[in-house]
Amino acid sequence: DVKVTQSSRYLVKRTGEKVFLECVQDMDHENMFWYRQDPGLGLRLIYFSYDVKMKEKGDIPEGYSVSREKKERFSLILESASTNQTSMYLCASSKPGERRYFGPGTRLTVT
Amino acid sequence: RKEVEQDPGPFNVPEGATVAFNCTYSNSASQSFFWYRQDCRKEPKLLMSVYSSGNEDGRFTAQLNRASQYISLLIRDSKLSDSATYLCAVFTSGTYKYIFGTGTRLKVLA
């Protein structure tokens, strides 16, 4: 059974803290993605990666960075968390052009 | 105009009813289409892909209308457990974009 796991289900951080969200997939997928999901706005793509050490900006990359040092692992970094980054963060992986497999999500609250 | 659009709902239907949702897309070159289901506070999961000739999986039927640029999802004999948000997704290989709609919320009432 395919699996995408995320390091935390719930996270509470203070404004200005550095935040790491980690995602691991066991399907040997080339592509990995980070989305955030907010009510009324749907899924918005933050960053994605097509290969190890490669990254591409999505629709809303400001305030975020990513790291992909190994094929199975894709990390999202909030360099200095702000309250407007309170959201549900979803990691996904896929083969090129195919369906997305999502992780369970991390609900981040920044106070 | 949004690249992929869905009516947010909610669609409130009684158990046993038939309900249909549409999802419109703006890029006529799009070639792959999907329906996902998302339960409250959970991640989206693939419900079904949408094939050119239409396809069925039990009570669920997906259709593609290329001329009018929309896909549809029909649910027959609705169950309480069908209550969820249904997201469509559209992939265009030319732009390599895979875009989700914002979802349609379905509530099946007893």
Side-chain angles (χ1 to χ4, degrees):
Chain A
D1 198 18
V2 298
K3 221 169 194 159
V4 180
T5 56
Q6 294 184 228
S7 48
S8 307
R9 293 299 302 272
Y10 299 94
L11 213 50
V12 179
K13 294 290 182 181
R14 293 193 181 276
T15 302
E17 278 193 88
K18 192 167 186 175
V19 182
F20 292 88
L21 303 181
E22 195 161 70
C23 174
V24 178
Q25 50 99 358
D26 65 358
M27 295 164 281
D28 201 35
H29 284 164
E30 294 87 349
N31 299 347
M32 295 189 76
F33 310 86
W34 275 106
Y35 294 89
R36 65 177 281 177
Q37 189 174 34
D38 302 286
L41 297 177
L43 283 162
R44 292 184 290 166
L45 183 63
I46 304 170
Y47 266 98
F48 59 102
S49 168
Y50 289 133
D51 203 349
V52 176
K53 295 198 186 293
M54 291 183 64
K55 58 186 178 185
E56 297 283 343
K57 292 180 180 179
D59 300 316
I60 51 161
E62 297 78 20
Y64 303 94
S65 62
V66 289
S67 170
R68 193 163 180 204
E69 295 297 317
K70 293 185 177 182
K71 190 174 186 180
E72 68 270 19
R73 199 175 295 265
F74 192 36
S75 301
L76 179 70
I77 303 140
L78 287 65
E79 295 289 343
S80 177
S82 62
T83 54
N84 63 11
Q85 293 179 309
T86 291
S87 186
M88 168 74 115
Y89 289 87
L90 287 155
C91 174
S93 73
S94 78
K95 290 187 177 178
E98 295 188 9
R99 50 135 342 149
R100 301 285 192 261
Y101 291 86
F102 285 88
T106 296
R107 194 165 289 277
L108 173 67
T109 303
V110 183
T111 61
Chain B
R1 183 188 171 187
K2 283 186 184 176
E3 292 178 90
V4 177
E5 286 196 83
Q6 293 182 256
D7 182 339
F11 284 55
N12 296 322
V13 302
E15 263 188 298
T18 295
V19 62
F21 317 126
N22 286 343
C23 165
T24 59
Y25 59 96
S26 61
N27 190 335
S28 59
S30 298
Q31 66 257 76
S32 299
F33 307 89
F34 308 85
W35 282 104
Y36 288 78
R37 171 194 169 125
Q38 185 173 23
D39 293 302
C40 191
R41 304 180 89 82
K42 301 271 188 162
E43 73 273 25
K45 293 184 178 176
L46 183 73
L47 180 65
M48 56 200 302
S49 301
V50 186
Y51 302 123
S52 299
S53 53
N55 48 300
E56 195 173 296
D57 183 2
R59 298 182 293 109
F60 298 84
T61 301
Q63 298 272 5
L64 167 64
N65 185 318
R66 284 200 183 275
S68 301
Q69 293 182 208
Y70 72 88
I71 61 172
S72 63
L73 178 68
L74 180 84
I75 306 175
R76 287 182 299 279
D77 189 24
S78 299
K79 312 287 184 197
L80 294 175
S81 57
D82 293 334
S83 298
T85 297
Y86 292 85
L87 306 169
C88 62
V90 175
F91 175 71
T92 309
S93 64
T95 58
Y96 218 76
K97 279 191 167 185
Y98 192 108
I99 301 172
F100 285 90
T102 52
T104 297
R105 195 162 163 219
L106 170 67
K107 288 184 181 179
V108 181
L109 308 171

